[in-house]
Amino acid sequence: AVAHGALSAMCSYNRITLDNVTAWACEHPTTLQHLKEQSSVFVMSDWLATHSTQAIVKGLDQEMPSDFYFGSRLRDAVESGAVDEATIDAASLNVLRAMQTIGALGRAPRGDLMKDVSTPAN
């Protein structure tokens, strides 16, 4: 998918052993960095697949669906020096680059954002 222009990728729940490193998929430095070397994708976690604030250092850009690790815990990690602020900037830029590519930053949302789209008409 990356070779064909995907702008994002999602890491999964499993653990990966590669290059003598065993880590959660959303924190495995070898796989995440290899993916990012192939393209300028941003990497988001599968729902609740993030396991620590250090995931951002390893290459995860966005925690889904909430900010359990990438909220106040990440802020605290930056303030303590455990995570460099430049790492946060780079992850944010990865997400914003994809949004810019599809034009999401240059226009207001359209339609009713609260509409139930799970009906047969949609």
Side-chain angles (χ1 to χ4, degrees):
V2 171
H4 295 286
L7 299 175
S8 64
M10 181 178 280
C11 54
S12 58
Y13 301 103
N14 59 302
R15 292 177 64 82
I16 297 171
T17 301
L18 182 65
D19 296 338
N20 295 319
V21 174
T22 299
W24 295 105
C26 291
E27 297 185 9
H28 200 289
T30 305
T31 57
L32 294 175
Q33 293 308 316
H34 176 73
L35 181 62
K36 289 183 172 189
E37 288 169 2
Q38 305 305 306
S39 178
S40 60
V41 298
F42 78 90
V43 180
M44 73 180 88
S45 71
D46 206 335
W47 255 225
L48 305 174
T50 306
H51 294 274
S52 76
T53 58
Q54 286 297 305
I56 200 165
V57 175
K58 307 297 183 181
L60 183 65
D61 298 309
Q62 182 180 25
E63 175 186 14
M64 295 300 284
S66 66
D67 60 356
F68 187 79
Y69 290 105
F70 283 19
S72 61
R73 288 183 167 126
L74 185 56
R75 183 194 61 230
D76 293 346
V78 170
E79 289 174 353
S80 73
V83 174
D84 186 51
E85 194 170 335
T87 301
I88 308 300
D89 293 344
S92 300
L93 182 60
N94 289 338
V95 175
L96 290 170
R97 186 182 302 114
M99 293 174 71
Q100 177 65 31
T101 299
I102 64 166
L105 300 179
R107 62 175 165 77
R110 297 178 299 225
D112 180 359
L113 299 178
M114 302 306 290
K115 183 176 181 181
D116 180 4
V117 295
S118 63
T119 64
N122 292 295

